Amino acid sequence: MADSEVTALEHAPGLKHHFDDTEQQLESSTLGMWVFLLTEIMFFGGMFGGYTVYRNLYPDAFASSSRYMNIPIGAFNTAVLICSSLTMALAVRAAQLGNKKVLIWFLVFTLILGCVFLGLKVVEYHEKWVDHHIPGPGFRYEDARYFHQAQILFFLYFAMTGMHAMHMVVGAGLLTTLIIMAARNRFSAAWYTPVEMIGLYWHFVDIVWIFLFPLLYLIGRTK
Amino acid sequence: MWAAPSRWGWLNLLTPKGLFAHDTYNKLFTMHGIIMVFFFLVPSIPATLGNFLVPPMVGARDLAFPRINLLSWYIYIVGGIFAITAIVRGGVDTGWTFYAPFSSTYSNTHVILAAIGVFVSGFSSILTGLNFIVTVHKMRAPGMTWSRLPLFVWAHYATSLIQVLGTPVIAITIVLLGMERVLHAGIFDPALGGDPILFQHLFWFYSHPAVYIMILPGMGVISEIVACFSRKSIFGYGFVAFSSVAIAVLGFLVWGHHLFVAGQSMYASMVFSFISFLVAVPSAIKVFNWTATMYRGSVSYDTPMLYAFGFIGLFTIGGLTGLFLATMAVDVHVTDTYFVIAHFHYVMVGGMVMAYLGGVHFWFPKITGRLYPEGWAKFAALVVFVGFNLTFFPQFVLGYLGMPRRYAAYADEFQILNVMSTAGASILGVGYLIPMIYLAWAWRYGPKSPQNPWGAKGLEWEQSPTPPPTFNFDVPPVMNEPAYNYSGEEKEVEIGR
Ligand code: HEM
Ligand SMILES: [Cu+2]
């Protein structure tokens, strides 16, 4: 932090001395963030690949076990995340306009919505625990034919939603940092790159959920 | 230092029965593989020469994200600590490929620790790639167009694409493997309803492209060296530049050639086989263009150039034998034998390590501001070349005769070739030791180097002082001539802006 404060006196706000100008720095950060999101797509892509393989191998078992997913919570959580994307976008807009108070409020809203999502996720996980649907030695399944195969769906369910939830936790931490930085007047209409970058991250995490919800909860139940 | 396990391995194979207990041997080759692939070859050139040279080569003061760069170093260390802990606490015996279900269910060694090490170090690789991509796109000096970028930078750009797109997949594969091992719930283990082939697909989806992470930077080094010591601009600049990107792209489509005998559909194998042949084309383009560059050049035989010769010859053998392996019928005969071992050591050790040594010698004056003793250096390059071939050539023969890989013992008739190989490994070891000694010496006591001892082209030599200051240049550089303009006025290719 120290050196950026020193240079802040000499250069435009937030400009690091190995960049020519703010524009170059902003473009670099944005490109870097997109490349990072690309790696995230590949990361989740591995699991989506596995999911595709097993859904094709065991369609009946998957149809049977997706009936145990809690659709009301899942649907409500989907709405929560979509709203949080909106508040995040509004936060970025506020940062652009240099409106500190509005910025902080929208960041707080986003954070609260994120926490609501995570809280409901805990409720869902607890349900699975009670029903012995956590993969492993304690796993039980109502339909004995599908014991192993259903376990794979739950394995994927926990891997995918778990990874997603971990990204949400990280996102919540980042939002908290943003709120503190905003409160300390670190952002201005001339420099608010972190808000924009973390906004991109937040939208990405939301989009992952938009794919997870239908794949894990909705498809195949009516079979 | 971490090459040592392999040496013990060869020592083991001195006698048909082997010197070590068999599970010790399994652990030795596993840790050799893990350390060499994930902790040496993948970061080798990008994290050292790449980090140092990409910014001055494009005329930048630093990489786009210096702190992320430092972070990637710390992450690497943390990953290394996990891997070393796994070794110290008794090792791993799955092979570097971690095949399930052995790794997830049956092995009773420290799979999780080693896997975490690989997982963590992957992020270091990703961050390096990310940094290079952004630096190349956004930090180029005035006049440094895409068609003037040094081929070293093109190669690193292509490498970075692979790092960024491939590494996350191995990360998630390891997570799934770890979950299966910890929860005892099936995803790869067929006894639990899982599919072990899925593991192999996911693993090689990263690990085949990863072999290009382990060769493309080396190709970049060789392009620089060949142009400089032939005093000619590189033949077919555009082809060499694009072949790097072609390798990166095609490299993502051939992973199935590791699964020919794993129960993969025959039709899938045919497609993978065909694309594997295609990926050899851009590799061959590079080799032809390097030789064409030397043709009628005024070639001088300084140490870096000796390593470049070594690279070109050995990589060609490694690449051609790759084509044997990509031929389905031949592969059925030689898969899981020493033929495969010889193939990839020709490309990885004969290719990448040669390039690394060549690059270290070429840029040593730039990095340290001092010169190394040329006589010793040439001698060592020769020793390395001889030792290398003596070590690995017999393995082609062994594999062809049917000696399987990953066994601690072998049939009596293979002994002569194995003894040759072990002897070669000792010579190779000496060959690596000599440069370590004289380079360490020269770093402190070598004679001072002029700014541009080779008369090389490129911003890093011409416009940046030797050794470079913190921000690489005293005066912001401008590129005002084509790349590799050794012969004066060279026609320029146009590749976008
Ligand atoms: C000309 C392009 C290449 C082709 C067509 C090719 C083809 C192949 C094939 C078909 C195999 C599988 C053999 C088997 O398991 O039966 C293989 C193995 C391997 N190749 Fe290549 N290869 C090429 C270049 C490279 C390069 C450049 C590297 C590394 C720098 C490399 C490293 C490896 C490694 C490490 C293995 C063995 C993996 C294992 O099973 O442990 N290859 N190659
Ligand atoms: Cu391969």
Side-chain angles (χ1 to χ4, degrees):
Chain A
M1 284 298 121
D3 60 5
S4 64
E5 263 151 29
V6 174
T7 50
L9 301 175
E10 303 164 1
H11 300 279
L15 181 64
K16 301 273 162 38
H17 33 308
H18 61 292
F19 288 108
D20 294 337
D21 50 36
T22 324
E23 191 193 355
Q24 187 192 32
Q25 177 169 339
L26 179 64
E27 282 179 8
S28 302
S29 307
T30 313
L31 180 62
M33 194 63 202
W34 279 105
V35 173
F36 172 73
L37 294 183
L38 206 61
T39 72
E40 289 278 20
I41 292 177
M42 297 307 291
F43 185 80
F44 280 96
M47 286 186 289
F48 281 108
Y51 171 88
T52 313
V53 168
Y54 287 119
R55 175 164 284 282
N56 278 310
L57 281 178
Y58 311 133
D60 299 332
F62 272 40
S64 146
S65 45
S66 51
R67 248 166 251 160
Y68 294 97
M69 300 297 166
N70 191 331
I71 292 212
I73 293 191
F76 184 71
N77 258 346
T78 309
V80 167
L81 280 195
I82 291 176
C83 290
S84 81
S85 256
L86 176 67
T87 53
M88 188 71 226
L90 291 171
V92 174
R93 182 71 193 143
Q96 234 165 28
L97 300 174
N99 193 334
K100 174 182 155 187
K101 226 165 131 193
V102 179
L103 167 65
I104 293 183
W105 271 116
F106 277 121
L107 288 175
V108 171
F109 279 144
T110 315
L111 180 60
I112 292 174
L113 289 169
C115 292
V116 169
F117 177 92
L118 286 169
L120 287 173
K121 210 70 219 150
V122 172
V123 174
E124 262 190 289
Y125 283 171
H126 180 72
E127 240 176 56
K128 301 280 177 296
W129 169 264
V130 173
D131 294 346
H132 291 280
H133 282 162
I134 310 245
F139 186 78
R140 309 253 183 294
Y141 197 64
E142 290 67 14
D143 190 337
R145 286 176 300 167
Y146 296 140
F147 179 76
H148 283 318
Q149 305 174 0
Q151 198 172 173
I152 292 183
L153 179 80
F154 282 107
F155 188 111
L156 287 167
Y157 168 81
F158 277 104
M160 295 168 101
T161 59
M163 274 298 155
H164 176 262
M166 265 164 66
H167 279 78
M168 295 282 299
V169 172
V170 171
L174 293 171
L175 283 173
T176 315
T177 321
L178 281 187
I179 293 170
I180 295 172
M181 284 173 81
R184 291 189 184 161
N185 291 318
R186 295 292 298 274
F187 303 126
S188 64
W191 188 75
Y192 56 95
T193 314
V195 184
E196 204 171 331
M197 297 305 120
I198 291 168
L200 283 175
Y201 173 84
W202 191 263
H203 296 312
F204 168 80
V205 177
D206 286 0
I207 289 172
V208 172
W209 178 259
I210 301 293
F211 282 95
L212 289 181
F213 178 57
L215 287 181
L216 293 171
Y217 290 68
L218 301 180
I219 298 183
R221 302 172 63 92
T222 51
K223 255 222 179 117
Chain B
M1 177 170 79
W2 292 105
S6 71
R7 205 84 357 96
W8 305 335
W10 302 143
L11 212 57
N12 182 59
L13 293 180
L14 204 53
T15 67
K17 289 236 180 59
L19 296 173
F20 292 107
H22 292 183
D23 49 347
T24 312
Y25 182 73
N26 292 345
K27 288 175 182 171
L28 286 176
F29 75 66
T30 301
M31 72 200 210
H32 167 67
I34 292 177
I35 300 278
M36 281 300 167
V37 168
F38 297 109
F39 292 93
F40 175 61
L41 280 175
V42 166
S44 60
I45 291 184
T48 56
L49 296 175
N51 257 339
F52 192 95
L53 291 164
V54 166
M57 277 184 163
V58 303
R61 287 181 283 270
D62 201 338
L63 284 174
F65 309 114
R67 284 194 200 162
I68 290 184
N69 199 18
L70 185 61
L71 178 67
S72 96
W73 166 240
Y74 288 144
I75 292 178
Y76 172 81
I77 302 223
V78 172
I81 289 175
F82 274 104
I84 290 175
T85 314
I87 293 168
V88 171
R89 299 194 48 194
V92 197
D93 64 353
T94 59
W96 76 279
T97 46
F98 290 109
Y99 271 16
F102 180 65
S103 58
S104 62
T105 308
Y106 301 105
S107 169
N108 49 13
T109 53
H110 295 280
V111 179
I112 294 283
L113 275 177
I116 293 178
V118 173
F119 176 84
V120 171
S121 75
F123 289 97
S124 143
S125 180
I126 289 175
L127 293 180
T128 304
L130 187 149
N131 229 331
F132 286 171
I133 290 178
V134 176
T135 306
V136 173
H137 273 280
K138 297 292 174 200
M139 310 285 284
R140 283 171 285 127
M144 180 53 82
T145 58
W146 283 94
S147 45
R148 288 174 173 177
L149 275 187
L151 292 165
F152 181 87
V153 176
W154 270 102
H156 274 76
Y157 183 76
T159 309
S160 304
L161 289 179
I162 306 177
Q163 288 177 309
V164 160
L165 291 173
T167 321
V169 178
I170 189 88
I172 192 62
T173 311
I174 291 174
V175 169
L176 294 178
L177 184 80
M179 282 178 71
E180 169 160 301
R181 195 173 160 92
V182 172
L183 299 174
H184 301 292
I187 180 130
F188 299 130
D189 184 350
L192 302 171
D195 182 357
I197 308 292
L198 178 65
F199 176 84
Q200 298 185 22
H201 277 293
L202 289 173
F203 180 84
W204 289 112
F205 181 87
Y206 163 74
S207 294
H208 182 82
V211 309
Y212 294 108
I213 299 178
M214 296 180 253
I215 194 72
L216 276 168
M219 293 169 153
V221 168
I222 298 305
S223 300
E224 300 295 320
I225 294 177
V226 166
C228 174
F229 294 100
S230 306
R231 298 283 139 203
K232 266 178 71 188
S233 74
I234 202 96
F235 182 85
Y237 170 93
F239 280 96
V240 181
F242 269 122
S243 63
S244 289
V245 180
I247 288 177
V249 173
L250 287 173
F252 270 106
L253 305 175
V254 302
W255 77 88
H257 65 213
H258 296 273
L259 282 78
F260 286 160
V261 299
Q264 170 178 257
S265 128
M266 183 182 72
Y267 300 103
S269 289
M270 283 163 69
V271 174
F272 281 123
S273 170
F274 177 71
I275 307 177
S276 302
F277 278 88
L278 284 189
V279 79
V281 173
S283 313
I285 287 179
K286 286 190 191 284
V287 171
F288 291 139
N289 282 332
W290 291 324
T291 37
T293 305
M294 287 183 235
Y295 178 67
R296 296 201 162 171
S298 34
V299 177
S300 53
Y301 299 89
D302 298 275
T303 311
M305 192 61 166
L306 295 187
Y307 282 112
F309 285 136
F311 177 100
I312 295 173
L314 301 178
F315 173 75
T316 304
I317 297 178
L320 283 175
T321 51
L323 291 178
F324 297 9
L325 293 169
T327 314
M328 286 159 69
V330 179
D331 187 62
V332 172
H333 177 59
V334 290
T335 188
D336 278 330
T337 70
Y338 266 76
F339 194 89
V340 176
I341 305 285
H343 154 67
F344 69 70
H345 281 89
Y346 262 76
V347 266
M348 290 162 130
V349 183
M352 189 66 160
V353 179
M354 287 267 175
Y356 191 28
L357 285 171
V360 164
H361 283 86
F362 186 51
W363 283 290
F364 186 83
K366 179 85 237 164
I367 294 171
T368 63
R370 291 177 189 269
L371 299 169
Y372 55 80
E374 182 69 20
W376 277 106
K378 279 186 175 149
F379 173 68
L382 217 66
V383 175
V384 167
F385 186 79
V386 171
F388 175 85
N389 282 293
L390 189 57
T391 310
F392 293 106
F393 198 81
Q395 298 184 359
F396 278 127
V397 184
L398 281 170
Y400 193 76
L401 294 175
M403 179 174 161
R405 64 189 284 201
R406 294 184 171 170
Y407 280 68
Y410 54 83
D412 289 340
E413 75 242 40
F414 296 137
Q415 188 166 11
I416 296 182
L417 288 166
N418 272 297
V419 170
M420 283 167 71
S421 186
T422 303
S426 323
I427 298 178
L428 189 57
V430 174
Y432 289 149
L433 201 64
I434 305 173
M436 283 189 209
I437 296 171
Y438 67 72
L439 288 180
W441 174 85
W443 197 307
R444 289 285 307 267
Y445 307 108
K448 286 252 181 319
S449 162
Q451 161 147 347
N452 188 354
W454 314 116
K457 286 283 176 185
L459 293 183
E460 89 275 25
W461 290 110
E462 292 175 294
Q463 298 192 25
S464 165
T466 291
T470 313
F471 286 104
N472 284 335
F473 299 95
D474 292 336
V475 185
V478 180
M479 181 72 172
N480 43 25
E481 57 178 7
Y484 308 105
N485 197 11
Y486 285 102
S487 31
E489 6 71 72
E490 206 45 55
K491 242 188 48 232
E492 199 168 353
V493 265
E494 268 308 322
I495 309 176
R497 197 201 81 84

